[in-house]
Amino acid sequence: MADGTRVASVEDVPENGSVLFTAEDPFTNEREVILVRCAAEPGVEAWVNNCTHEDQRFDRGDGAPMRDGQLICPRHGSLFDACSGHCDNGEAAGTTLPSVAVTVEDGAVFLSDDGYTYLHEGGIDDDDTPSSTSHIGL
């Protein structure tokens, strides 16, 4: 049995797109993380859901834009290798996405990074709690 929290099944991770979940980092900050397909074993990688150039999310709730095994920054078009997280072009050239360790076992993806704690599927604001308790709209 794999250590860690089950995040998704491998078949849930699209060939071109991502699965989005929220985790807590070692400093108790909520971070969005994306699972993407990768040609190298174990076939799925996890990255913090932000471009290294600017605070720009790849997956805004409907899957990260991808092309030919690369994540595309929706702001400036920098391309990040889905397997290594490295970028060699555009505004983010020379940088690498922060990785989050996952384990794939028996067709399931588990969050196995000791620095992160799984909170919920979806983005930070997708936890089904109201953003306001007021019923008055302005």
Side-chain angles (χ1 to χ4, degrees):
M1 178 79 182
D3 289 335
T5 303
R6 186 182 187 284
V7 177
S9 71
V10 172
E11 65 185 35
D12 289 340
V13 182
E15 291 295 327
N16 286 302
S18 59
V19 169
L20 177 66
F21 69 94
T22 300
E24 188 175 78
D25 72 12
F27 307 102
T28 68
N29 298 307
E30 288 187 358
R31 298 283 183 219
E32 290 184 348
V33 179
I34 53 173
L35 299 175
V36 296
R37 288 288 182 125
C38 172
E41 289 298 321
V44 176
E45 291 293 334
W47 308 105
V48 172
N49 188 32
N50 277 75
C51 178
T52 54
H53 171 243
E54 281 188 7
D55 186 21
Q56 181 67 45
R57 296 164 60 208
F58 293 105
D59 186 332
R60 298 176 184 172
D62 56 357
M66 294 185 72
R67 180 179 59 226
D68 299 327
Q70 296 181 311
L71 285 157
I72 305 168
C73 174
R75 175 87 180 209
H76 292 110
S78 292
L79 301 173
F80 294 84
D81 184 271
C83 295
S84 70
H86 184 72
C87 179
D88 63 2
N89 64 66
E91 299 289 337
T95 65
T96 301
L97 296 172
S99 66
V100 177
V102 293
T103 303
V104 175
E105 188 174 297
D106 296 329
V109 182
F110 296 86
L111 175 61
S112 56
D113 196 313
D114 291 337
Y116 288 87
T117 303
Y118 180 85
L119 296 177
H120 59 84
E121 66 181 59
I124 290 173
D125 295 329
D126 296 343
D127 62 2
D128 293 331
T129 58
S131 58
S132 171
T133 56
S134 173
H135 64 281
I136 300 172
L138 301 175

